[in-house]
Amino acid sequence: MPCWPTPQPGYQPGYEPPSGYQPGYQPQPGYEPGYQPQPGGQPEFQPGQMPDAPTAQPGVPPGMAPPQGGAGNADSLALSSGLGTAPESGFGNAALIGDFFGGGGIISGPSWGVSQITLPIAGGDRRQKLTEHASPIPTNRVFFSYNYFNNPLVDVNNNVIDVNRYLFGVERMFLNRNASIEFRAPLLNGVAAVQDQDGQTIYRDTEFGNITLTPKFLLHRDRCGAVSTGLGIVFPTAPDGRVSSGNLTVDVENLAYHLQPFIAFHRTPSREVWGTFTTQFDFATAGNRVVSTESGRVLADELFNDQHLMFLDLSVGRWLHRQNCGRLRGIAAIFELHYTTTLNDTDVVQAGRDASSQGGPADVLANTANRLDVLNGTVGMRFAGSQQNSVTIAGVAPLRGDADSLFDGEFIIQWNHGF
């Protein structure tokens, strides 16, 4: 059988037949006074008699409860949309952990005296990714993520800055559990939005990031898998950025909305093993205004457009331990591969003085590597508990070097609560 047995209508989650129960057993005539066998072998209890438990269904092995998820059709039971922490729940079997960190560009040039300054918008982490702490299956949940990135940013004084990202979110289903809408709000402790080059200050601050709203829709689901699609909308709610050196100032206005369509494929060949593959894009709908001034005089006023991105994400997991009661319901091991590539060349805009007319280099804002092909690996453990809670702990390592390595390492803690 390719998937776990199908529960029948009327099945009560968590029920286990009494010890020794044999499916298909029919009591013999005369066994109980007044007993009358019924078609299909189901006994009729007489007044004064009470069965020990609800009638078990065909296809359910003795002593084992079918997947949890509540009464309903086989699809909704097999792919429970609730966040449920039972190993068979849709979120537990389908959720990706994630890997991504990405900014919007680098400021460099002779006026700044350093090779790169991370664009200081949203703590330097202004791009978001829908497969971070998400499932292709709609669910009702509240969730929280903590991500620590080692050495991803550089401030105006050439200090390397680590990043702590705190993500708060809620997801709510609609359309008879076949769709959901998700809201995410990040808080970032990274590079400060306002920096002044003085050669000594470490510019670290905690700031609000860009929020994301994502409707998600199931295209297909059955006992063994699901296909879903959706569109993330990233709103430019993070503060604008500013870097200065003496009388020279560069202001970057956070203006661009991002559209992030995706399609996800989920497969659960057994109750122990699952896999999820997701393709997502990130399109900037407009540019961010970059204004360079010196002593109040405008040197340049241009738009910097973020590069379009494509993400390919594969997650494979296996439950190592499962049980239907107790505080710890399941332990799973998860391995993921994440590939990110740029779809177009970088914009290059003036960010400071332009010395090209005198044959010298200009101060610019750009992706200094132009095109990127980032490959990261994620390894994690998921702990499913009671009361629809789960915790995932993971680490991420870049699998390519040089410009295709956006950080040295990442540590992740994720918490979910379904309702």
Side-chain angles (χ1 to χ4, degrees):
M1 184 173 292
C3 300
W4 55 76
T6 303
Q8 302 299 315
Y11 166 73
Q12 298 298 319
Y15 162 68
E16 295 190 18
S19 176
Y21 170 78
Q22 298 295 324
Y25 165 72
Q26 299 183 13
Q28 300 301 316
Y31 178 76
E32 294 286 346
Y35 169 76
Q36 183 68 35
Q38 300 299 313
Q42 300 299 329
E44 178 181 356
F45 291 92
Q46 301 300 317
Q49 295 178 320
M50 181 65 68
D52 292 334
T55 303
Q57 301 299 326
V60 181
M64 185 187 78
Q68 297 184 1
N73 60 51
D75 294 346
S76 63
L77 286 162
L79 289 174
S80 168
S81 293
L83 178 62
T85 54
E88 297 84 3
S89 72
F91 192 91
N93 274 12
L96 288 89
I97 300 172
D99 74 305
F100 187 63
F101 184 92
I106 299 296
I107 296 174
S108 61
S111 299
W112 305 105
V114 294
S115 59
Q116 58 179 12
I117 302 170
T118 307
L119 191 65
I121 294 179
D125 176 33
R126 51 194 301 263
R127 306 293 287 267
Q128 296 195 38
K129 187 176 178 180
L130 300 181
T131 51
E132 294 276 310
H133 196 189
S135 168
I137 301 172
T139 181
N140 289 328
R141 63 169 179 149
V142 292
F143 58 98
F144 169 79
S145 295
Y146 168 73
N147 302 70
Y148 167 78
F149 298 92
N150 182 238
N151 295 339
L153 306 176
V154 178
D155 72 3
V156 73
N157 289 322
N158 206 25
N159 297 303
V160 178
I161 306 291
D162 296 337
V163 170
N164 296 278
R165 178 202 291 155
Y166 308 91
L167 179 69
F168 304 86
V170 61
E171 182 177 358
R172 180 68 178 177
M173 292 186 294
F174 60 98
L175 292 181
N176 195 28
R177 304 168 68 92
N178 289 310
S180 69
I181 189 163
E182 180 187 270
F183 172 81
R184 297 183 174 215
L187 190 67
L188 297 119
N189 176 255
V191 294
V194 178
Q195 305 176 33
D196 185 8
Q197 191 175 62
D198 59 13
Q200 55 184 4
T201 304
I202 298 176
Y203 284 101
R204 170 183 290 278
D205 201 358
T206 300
E207 299 169 351
F208 193 71
N210 292 331
I211 64 172
T212 305
L213 195 65
T214 306
K216 181 192 310 179
F217 303 91
L218 274 174
L219 301 177
H220 168 78
R221 65 177 175 182
D222 56 31
R223 291 181 299 159
C224 300
V227 180
S228 66
T229 189
L231 176 67
I233 305 171
V234 181
F235 296 83
T237 53
D240 299 335
R242 167 178 286 191
V243 293
S244 59
S245 177
N247 295 325
L248 181 64
T249 300
V250 176
D251 290 287
V252 183
E253 298 181 22
N254 184 26
L255 301 175
Y257 289 79
H258 286 247
L259 299 180
Q260 300 182 327
F262 75 91
I263 185 168
F265 304 88
H266 172 63
R267 179 74 178 174
T268 307
S270 73
R271 293 178 65 182
E272 289 76 28
V273 179
W274 76 87
T276 304
F277 177 77
T278 302
T279 300
Q280 179 199 323
F281 296 89
D282 184 324
F283 300 112
T285 62
N288 297 286
R289 187 183 180 195
V290 181
V291 180
S292 301
T293 59
E294 187 171 25
S295 300
R297 180 174 62 92
V298 176
L299 303 178
D301 188 342
E302 302 179 86
L303 288 178
F304 177 78
N305 295 279
D306 289 319
Q307 289 172 280
H308 305 316
L309 302 177
M310 180 179 72
F311 305 101
L312 301 176
D313 302 274
L314 174 65
S315 177
V316 178
R318 179 180 178 85
W319 290 104
L320 307 177
H321 166 77
R322 298 181 303 134
Q323 62 184 31
N324 291 329
C325 59
R327 293 186 176 181
L328 182 62
R329 303 294 178 88
I331 301 175
I334 302 169
F335 174 74
E336 299 179 351
L337 283 175
H338 305 278
Y339 174 71
T340 304
T341 186
T342 49
L343 300 179
N344 59 315
D345 291 338
T346 182
D347 266 7
V348 180
V349 302
Q350 184 174 332
R353 302 182 182 93
D354 183 5
S356 58
S357 58
Q358 289 79 36
D363 300 323
V364 297
L365 168 60
N367 173 5
T368 54
N370 190 19
R371 303 298 284 267
L372 295 175
D373 289 290
V374 178
L375 183 64
N376 294 330
T378 301
V379 177
M381 299 291 293
R382 180 163 296 145
F383 302 90
S386 60
Q387 302 300 318
Q388 299 190 22
N389 290 301
S390 67
V391 174
T392 302
I393 300 174
V396 182
L399 302 181
R400 304 189 67 179
D402 300 326
D404 294 324
S405 177
L406 300 180
F407 51 84
D408 291 341
E410 178 186 0
F411 173 71
I412 302 172
I413 299 177
Q414 298 174 344
W415 170 81
N416 290 279
H417 174 71
F419 59 89

